[in-house]
Amino acid sequence: MYKLKWTGRAMALGLATTLMLAGCSSGSSAATSTAGDNQTTAAAGEASTIDGSTATDTQKYDDVKLKMLICWNGGFKTASDQYNNEVAQAIRDKIGVTVEYEGIMMSETEKLNLVFASGDMPDMINAPYWGGDGGETAVIKKAAREGQLLDIKDELPKYANLSDAYDVGIVSQAFLENDLDDPTFGGARYILPQETPGDVADITNWAYGVFVRGDVADTLGIDPTTIKTTDQLLDFMTKARDYGFKDVNGNDIITATTFHEGWDYGQYAMNFNSKQATSFVKQDDGTYTYNTLTDNWIDSNLFIWKLVNEGILDKECFKQSDDLANQKVGNGTALFAAAQYSTVINATKLTGLYDSNPEMRYVPVGPLNYADGEASVQVELKGRNGSPAIIFPTSNQNLEASLAYLDYVNSEEGARLCQYGIEGDTYEMNSEGQPRLLQSILERKQNGDTTVDDELREKGIGYILGRTLQADKRMTWWGERGAGDADVAITELVAYQEARPVEQLAGYPIDKLAQSFEDYDTLKTYAFDDTTKNDYTQRAFFADTEDEARSILEDYQDYLTSQEGGLFQKYLDYANEVAKTRDDVIN
Amino acid sequence: MLGTALTTQTTGSFFGKKRADLKKRIWQHRWLYLFILPCVIWLLVFCYYPMYGATLAFKDYSYKLGILNSPWAGLKHFRAFIYSPDFWRVIKNTLVISGLKLLFSFPAPILLALLLNEVQAVRFKRVVQTFSYLPNFVSWVVVVSLMNVIFSPYGGVINDLRKNAGLETIFFMGSREYFYPMVILSDIWKNAGWGTIIYLSALTSVSPELYEAAAIDGAGRLKSTFYVTLPCIKGTIGIMFINAVGGLLNAGFDQILLLQQPDNQLISDILDTFVLKTGLSQGRFEYATAIGLFKSVLSLVLMTLANEVSKRTMEVSIF
C-alpha cells in the first residue's frame, strides 16, 4: 500500500511539474494581458505640455524604466550602460524616465511575429511600417486588430511634440488613409510614425548610385559623370574588367559588386527605370499595369544577367554579408560598387584605403538617367508614404511615461541633449545659436578617428534620436542633421546629393488606392512576396543563356498572373477602375 | 458464469501479480530510476508537451487567442501546401538530397570504422580517430564559411591553383553542377568521423575467435571483413539504417540553407528551407506547422517501411 502511494506520488509530482511548467507560460501571458488592459484604461491626462519644440513641461515620473525593441535587422549600438550615462541621467533628471534599447540580428518580420506569438513583448517597439504590402506592416496590422497594441488616439494630442504625427504633409494622405488609419482599426490609432521629415530640407537624401574607384576612371580616361546610359555603363565596366587592375594588395579585382544580399544591384540598371513612386507603370493608352509584368522589367533583369554572365558583376554578391562586401570595397578589390554612397565611404574607412591609396577614392558614376533621358532623382511623396513606426504593445508598463519620454526627446532641448550631450562637455552653441561639437572632437572626427564616436556613445550620445524622432527637424533647428555634419561633411557626398537631389511628387499613389481591393490579403501572400520574386530573378541572373534567363523571368510573370485563378488581373482591373475616381492619381 | 468469473479472477490476479512485481522491481532499482527521471521530465516537457502545438496546422492562428483558442480551419493549410506550385519540386529535392546522403554519407562511417579497425598501430589509430571527430564540433556556419573562402572565385585557394595552371575559375559554391558534390563531400567530412564511434564500439564486440577460425579456413583480411565483421555488426547497421530513413526528409536544414545560392535554388529548396521561407519568415505559423506535420507523418511511414525491410533482410528491427 505504501509502495503504491509512493508510485502515485511520483507520478503526480511528475504531472504537477509538467503542468506547472505549462502553467508558467500561460500565466505570464495572462499577467501581461492584465497589465496591458490596465494601461489601456489608465488616464494620461495629468501631463501638461507646452507648445512647440522647446523643453516640455511634463510631470516627473518616479524613476520609470522602460524597454524599447529596435526591430531593425543589423543590431543597435548603444552605450554599454544605458542607465548610468550622462544623457540617460539628464533625461531622468528632467522627466524621471529611462528607456533601454535592444536591437535584433534577424529578419524584422520574423522577429515581430515571434514577439506577438510568444507574448514576450517590450514596452515599445520601433519597426518598419512601409504600409501596403510590406511584410512588417501586415504583422503590425494583425497585432493591432487582435488587440495586442495600445490605442494612442486620445493620448497623442496631449503631447505637443508628438501631436502633429498624423498631419498630412508630415505623412501623405494615402499613408494616413490606408495604413495609419487602416479601416480595420475601427477608428483607433496604434501607430506613431517616426522619422518623418519636419520640412523638405529634413528629408534624408540616401545618395544611392554606382561608384567607381577614382584611379580606374583616370587610367581609362573616362569622366564618370558623363556616364548616363546602360550602354555607356556597360562599356565603361567592360573596359575596366579587361584592363588588368589590381587591388590595394596586388590581388586580382572584381569588376563590380554590391553590399549584403545583392543590395543594391538595381542601381546598375537605373537607366531602365522611370520617375515613379509605385510599382505601377502608366501605359500609352493611359491604363496602368504592374512593372513586373512589362517587357522593360525583363530587359532590366536581362541586363543584370549580362553583367553576371560576362564576369562583370560579382557572382558572390547575392549571398554575401556586409563584412565581405566591406573587405571587397575597403581593399579596392571591387572597381565598381552600388549602394548608398555613405556605405561605400564607410567601407573604405574601415581599412584606411584613402590614406594609403588616395587615388583609389570611390567617385560617383553618372548619376544615370531615367529611360526617358531625364536625370534620376530620389523620389519622395509629399509627406512620408511609409515610415518606421513606434508601437506600444499591451505589455507596456506605463503608456504615459512612454509618451512623455518620446515627447521630451522630440523637443529641441531633449533632441539636443541626445545628439550633442551636455553643453560645455561635448558641445557649445555657435554665434547663430546652433549647437556644434567641441573643436577637439571635430578635429578627431576630421582625422578619421572612429573611436570618438564610441566615446560619445558611451556618454549616451548619438543613438537615441535615430529611433525616436517623430518629425525630424534637425536641419531646421540646427542646420545639420548629424552632430559634426556641417563641419566635417564629406564634400563628395554633399556634391553627389546635389547631383541626385530629392524630388517630391504630389498626388495620390495608385498602389495605396488599390489597397481596398477585396482580396488584397490573399493577393499579398504571393504577389508582393519578395522572397519568391528574388528566387526567380536571381536564378535568371545565373542562367547559361539569355533565352533561358528570359524564360525564367517569364515564368515568374506567369506565376504572378496564374495564382488564385488569375486574381492579379482582377486586382489590376480594380486598380484601373479606382484610378478613374480621382484626378490626382500618380504611379 | 462461474467459469467466466473464475477466468476474470485468474486474469485479474495474474495482472495484479505482474503489477506488484513491476513495482517491486522499480523499488529495487529506485536509484537507477531516479537517474532516468530528469530525462523523462525533459522528454515530457520538451517533446510531448509542445505536441499540442501541432493542432496549429488545423487552425487560423490569432496572436491574442493563442494556439488552443484560435478558430479551426480544417485542412486548408495542407491543401495550400499540396496544391502549391512548389510542392513536387520541394519533395523531389528533399528526397534526392536525402537519398544521396543515404547512398554516400551513410556507408562512409562504416567504411572508415572498418579501416580504423584494421590499423594495428594504436597511437596512429587514436590520432586519426581524434582528427576525424573534430569536424563534428564545427558548426555548419563555420564549415560553409570555410568552404566559401577555399572555393571562392575571387582569391580562393582552389581557384588560385586553377588560375596558375592556366584554367578558368569556377564558382564552385554557386554552380548547379557542383551543388550535390559539395553537399555530400561536406557532409562526409563533417559527420563520418563522429559516426564511426558507434560502429567501432560494435566492432569491439566481435569475438577474436571468429577471426582466428576464419584465418584457419584461409580467409584473408577482405574475406574476414565480409564474412565475419559485417555480419557481426549488421544489427548496429540495421538500427542506424532505420534511423537514417526516419530522418530522410530532414536532408540537413542548416547545411542546405547555407549552401543555397541563386543558381542552385531549383535543386536546393528542401522541405525545411521551404517552411522557413514561406511559413516562418512570413508569420504563417499554421502553414509552417502543416508542412512540418506532413513531413513527420511521411517520416513515420518511411521509418515503418525501413523497419520492415530491416526486419526481413537483416533480422533487426526497433519495433
Side-chain angles (χ1 to χ4, degrees):
Chain A
M1 196 63 191
Y2 172 78
K3 286 173 185 173
L4 181 68
K5 272 185 180 170
W6 189 90
T7 317
R9 278 177 191 162
M11 287 174 70
L13 184 69
L15 191 64
T17 311
T18 312
L19 290 174
M20 193 174 72
L21 285 164
C24 281
S25 55
S26 54
S28 60
S29 64
T32 302
S33 171
T34 309
D37 291 342
N38 288 342
Q39 289 308 316
T40 315
T41 53
E46 294 86 0
S48 63
T49 58
I50 60 168
D51 193 25
S53 293
T54 52
T56 308
D57 181 22
T58 61
Q59 72 176 64
K60 188 174 173 187
Y61 292 85
D62 184 19
D63 197 13
V64 175
K65 291 173 195 159
L66 302 167
K67 287 192 184 297
M68 183 189 262
L69 178 73
I70 306 299
C71 194
W72 292 84
N73 192 358
F76 187 70
K77 282 186 179 176
T78 65
S80 50
D81 186 340
Q82 294 194 57
Y83 188 81
N84 293 307
N85 61 63
E86 283 93 326
V87 171
Q89 181 64 52
I91 296 175
R92 207 159 44 243
D93 289 345
K94 186 78 184 177
I95 54 168
V97 183
T98 310
V99 175
E100 294 194 354
Y101 301 85
E102 186 189 343
I104 61 162
M105 295 294 276
M106 63 187 295
S107 142
E108 291 90 351
T109 308
E110 215 172 315
K111 181 66 184 180
L112 284 170
N113 272 310
L114 277 176
V115 165
F116 293 122
S118 68
D120 183 14
M121 302 184 286
D123 297 293
M124 293 179 271
I125 301 174
N126 185 309
Y129 193 74
W130 304 128
D133 50 37
E136 303 88 355
T137 307
V139 180
I140 292 172
K141 283 186 178 178
K142 180 176 157 78
R145 280 194 295 266
E146 293 181 5
Q148 299 285 80
L149 301 180
L150 296 179
D151 181 5
I152 53 171
K153 186 176 185 179
D154 296 333
E155 304 301 317
L156 276 185
K158 298 171 188 165
Y159 300 91
N161 300 313
L162 306 175
S163 58
D164 62 352
Y166 278 65
D167 287 0
V168 174
I170 287 196
V171 294
S172 73
Q173 182 75 34
F175 187 41
L176 177 68
E177 286 176 4
N178 297 288
D179 297 304
L180 296 176
D181 281 342
D182 186 293
T184 62
F185 289 173
R189 282 181 167 171
Y190 300 102
I191 316 293
L192 179 61
Q194 193 251 324
E195 220 179 72
T196 51
D199 205 338
V200 181
D202 294 303
I203 298 174
T204 308
N205 184 329
W206 300 109
Y208 273 95
V210 176
F211 308 93
V212 63
R213 234 174 62 183
D215 60 322
V216 173
D218 291 343
T219 308
L220 296 175
I222 296 172
D223 176 1
T225 60
T226 62
I227 305 294
K228 297 290 178 188
T229 67
T230 300
D231 289 341
Q232 289 171 336
L233 180 65
L234 183 62
D235 181 57
F236 187 13
M237 291 171 122
T238 308
K239 283 177 178 159
R241 179 196 63 188
D242 297 339
Y243 185 82
F245 288 102
K246 297 285 178 188
D247 73 3
V248 73
N249 298 314
N251 295 322
D252 289 344
I253 51 89
I254 300 165
T255 310
T257 194
T258 66
F259 281 76
H260 68 272
E261 310 271 320
W263 178 73
D264 183 15
Y265 69 80
Q267 294 301 322
Y268 292 116
M270 170 55 76
N271 189 222
F272 286 90
N273 296 355
S274 54
K275 190 190 287 180
Q276 58 188 63
T278 72
S279 298
F280 281 79
V281 177
K282 195 165 191 175
Q283 302 176 113
D284 293 340
D285 61 0
T287 60
Y288 294 97
T289 187
Y290 206 62
N291 181 41
T292 313
L293 298 177
T294 63
D295 289 341
N296 186 58
W297 178 76
I298 290 184
D299 291 341
S300 70
N301 282 299
L302 286 178
F303 177 65
I304 302 296
W305 169 83
K306 198 181 182 77
L307 294 184
V308 174
N309 194 257
E310 295 192 359
I312 292 173
L313 186 57
D314 180 359
K315 288 178 177 171
E316 293 178 332
C317 75
F318 301 100
K319 290 286 174 185
Q320 76 184 357
S321 64
D322 270 336
D323 287 338
L324 187 56
N326 282 336
Q327 278 180 38
K328 289 174 178 174
V329 175
N331 289 320
T333 311
L335 302 183
F336 292 80
Q340 293 171 358
Y341 200 7
S342 56
T343 311
V344 175
I345 294 168
N346 286 341
T348 64
K349 281 185 183 171
L350 294 171
T351 55
L353 179 72
Y354 293 175
D355 295 331
S356 62
N357 294 70
E359 77 284 359
M360 288 191 182
R361 184 175 284 268
Y362 284 86
V363 295
V365 174
L368 295 174
N369 285 341
Y370 286 126
D372 60 5
E374 195 180 345
S376 63
V377 293
Q378 178 179 313
V379 172
E380 298 286 344
L381 289 166
K382 295 256 185 224
R384 276 201 82 156
N385 202 34
S387 72
I390 299 171
I391 50 177
F392 305 86
T394 48
S395 56
N396 185 292
Q397 296 171 44
N398 194 329
L399 183 62
E400 284 176 67
S402 306
L403 290 169
Y405 176 89
L406 292 171
D407 184 69
Y408 179 64
V409 298
N410 272 278
S411 70
E412 195 275 336
E413 176 191 312
R416 181 154 35 92
L417 175 65
C418 295
Q419 175 139 315
Y420 296 95
I422 311 288
E423 188 170 2
D425 178 36
T426 45
Y427 81 95
E428 55 196 6
M429 302 301 282
N430 67 11
S431 56
E432 293 169 44
Q434 296 167 321
R436 289 291 179 265
L437 287 175
L438 294 181
Q439 196 55 38
S440 55
I441 297 174
L442 286 172
E443 277 170 14
R444 288 176 65 191
K445 273 180 173 272
Q446 267 161 343
N447 294 331
D449 180 358
T450 51
T451 61
V452 69
D453 288 332
D454 298 334
E455 285 170 26
L456 291 174
R457 194 184 311 117
E458 284 306 307
K459 290 172 181 280
I461 298 169
Y463 59 85
I464 294 176
L465 293 189
R467 290 296 169 224
T468 54
L469 267 191
Q470 177 246 316
D472 189 347
K473 298 164 188 160
R474 286 176 292 181
M475 282 298 284
T476 313
W477 284 334
W478 311 320
E480 65 177 9
R481 176 181 294 277
D485 279 1
D487 301 284
V488 291
I490 302 164
T491 48
E492 64 258 42
L493 175 59
V494 175
Y496 183 66
Q497 285 169 331
E498 285 166 8
R500 193 166 186 263
V502 172
E503 186 176 321
Q504 285 189 305
L505 300 184
Y508 205 102
I510 186 170
D511 58 348
K512 294 285 180 194
L513 207 55
Q515 257 177 250
S516 50
F517 179 55
E518 61 175 345
D519 290 320
Y520 190 79
D521 282 344
T522 309
L523 188 81
K524 73 183 178 193
T525 59
Y526 69 91
F528 309 127
D529 157 30
D530 278 347
T531 313
T532 309
K533 190 178 177 182
N534 286 341
D535 278 359
Y536 276 90
T537 50
Q538 293 186 9
R539 193 149 51 81
F541 298 158
F542 286 85
D544 292 331
T545 63
E546 187 173 328
D547 285 344
E548 191 192 335
R550 184 183 294 279
S551 165
I552 293 169
L553 295 166
E554 286 170 350
D555 282 349
Y556 180 67
Q557 292 180 326
D558 289 343
Y559 166 82
L560 204 58
T561 50
S562 63
Q563 293 293 294
E564 299 287 339
L567 190 63
F568 200 86
Q569 187 53 51
K570 290 178 190 160
Y571 167 69
L572 285 179
D573 294 342
Y574 177 80
N576 277 295
E577 256 337 282
V578 288
K580 292 174 190 164
T581 61
R582 298 181 67 111
D583 53 11
D584 61 344
V585 171
I586 55 168
N587 62 303
Chain B
M1 263 312 259
L2 182 65
T4 314
L6 277 173
T7 313
T8 312
Q9 197 181 5
T10 315
T11 315
S13 99
F14 171 75
F15 281 114
K17 192 167 179 289
K18 289 242 339 174
R19 202 176 296 135
D21 282 350
L22 177 68
K23 284 174 203 158
K24 194 176 171 186
R25 275 186 282 130
I26 289 175
W27 181 246
Q28 274 175 348
H29 301 295
R30 58 189 178 279
W31 297 112
L32 295 177
Y33 279 101
L34 201 63
F35 283 128
I36 299 174
L37 193 62
C39 297
V40 173
I41 292 174
W42 175 86
L43 204 69
L44 287 172
V45 174
F46 292 105
C47 297
Y48 280 84
Y49 168 59
M51 270 193 201
Y52 86 96
T55 54
L56 196 57
F58 306 95
K59 297 201 164 195
D60 273 335
Y61 181 60
S62 154
Y63 295 137
K64 180 134 181 151
L65 299 173
I67 295 173
L68 293 178
N69 297 320
S70 291
W72 293 98
L75 296 172
K76 109 175 172 187
H77 304 302
F78 290 91
R79 271 198 296 271
F81 174 53
I82 290 167
Y83 291 120
S84 92
D86 299 308
F87 176 75
W88 287 112
R89 180 175 64 87
V90 171
I91 294 285
K92 184 184 143 199
N93 289 345
T94 310
L95 290 175
V96 168
I97 292 172
S98 300
L100 286 171
K101 284 189 175 178
L102 210 56
L103 198 64
F104 295 104
S105 303
F106 179 74
I110 303 173
L111 196 65
L112 188 59
L114 291 174
L115 290 171
L116 283 169
N117 195 44
E118 293 299 319
V119 175
Q120 302 298 317
V122 180
R123 190 168 289 179
F124 174 71
K125 183 178 171 180
R126 282 183 186 160
V127 169
V128 172
Q129 271 181 275
T130 307
F131 274 98
S132 68
Y133 297 161
L134 284 178
N136 179 68
F137 300 102
V138 183
S139 75
W140 273 115
V141 177
V142 176
V143 173
V144 175
S145 300
L146 285 173
M147 290 168 74
N148 278 327
V149 171
I150 294 167
F151 294 105
S152 171
Y154 311 111
V157 181
I158 304 296
N159 274 307
D160 277 355
L161 287 173
R162 287 181 63 85
K163 270 200 278 189
N164 290 338
L167 299 168
E168 288 273 300
T169 57
I170 296 173
F171 186 24
F172 289 102
M173 299 296 285
S175 305
R176 244 166 302 176
E177 55 267 41
Y178 293 99
F179 176 69
Y180 291 136
M182 286 291 174
V183 169
I184 301 303
L185 289 174
S186 58
D187 188 49
I188 290 175
W189 180 80
K190 188 172 182 324
N191 298 323
W194 187 251
T196 59
I197 293 176
I198 202 151
Y199 295 111
L200 283 170
S201 68
L203 285 168
T204 56
S205 66
V206 181
S207 169
E209 289 170 5
L210 291 173
Y211 289 114
E212 285 164 17
I216 291 167
D217 287 345
R221 278 190 165 185
L222 202 60
K223 283 198 171 171
S224 288
T225 303
F226 277 109
Y227 295 108
V228 178
T229 314
L230 283 175
C232 284
I233 63 166
K234 73 175 182 184
T236 308
I237 296 174
I239 296 289
M240 297 303 284
F241 176 74
I242 295 167
N243 283 334
V245 173
L248 197 66
L249 297 179
N250 284 332
F253 165 69
D254 33 7
Q255 179 200 19
I256 301 299
L257 184 72
L258 291 160
L259 286 173
Q260 277 186 345
Q261 289 277 345
D263 193 33
N264 63 35
Q265 199 71 49
L266 269 189
I267 57 170
S268 66
D269 222 0
I270 57 170
L271 271 169
D272 286 335
T273 57
F274 188 71
V275 166
L276 180 72
K277 264 198 313 198
T278 60
L280 298 177
S281 302
Q282 294 173 31
R284 296 164 72 195
F285 296 115
E286 315 94 314
Y287 187 59
T289 311
I291 301 173
L293 201 58
F294 176 86
K295 193 182 108 176
S296 302
V297 171
L298 215 58
S299 294
L300 190 67
V301 171
L302 285 171
M303 196 167 170
T304 311
L305 285 174
N307 193 60
E308 271 311 300
V309 171
S310 173
K311 196 189 282 182
R312 289 181 189 183
T313 56
M314 290 187 269
E315 294 155 9
V316 179
S317 66
I318 54 172
F319 51 83

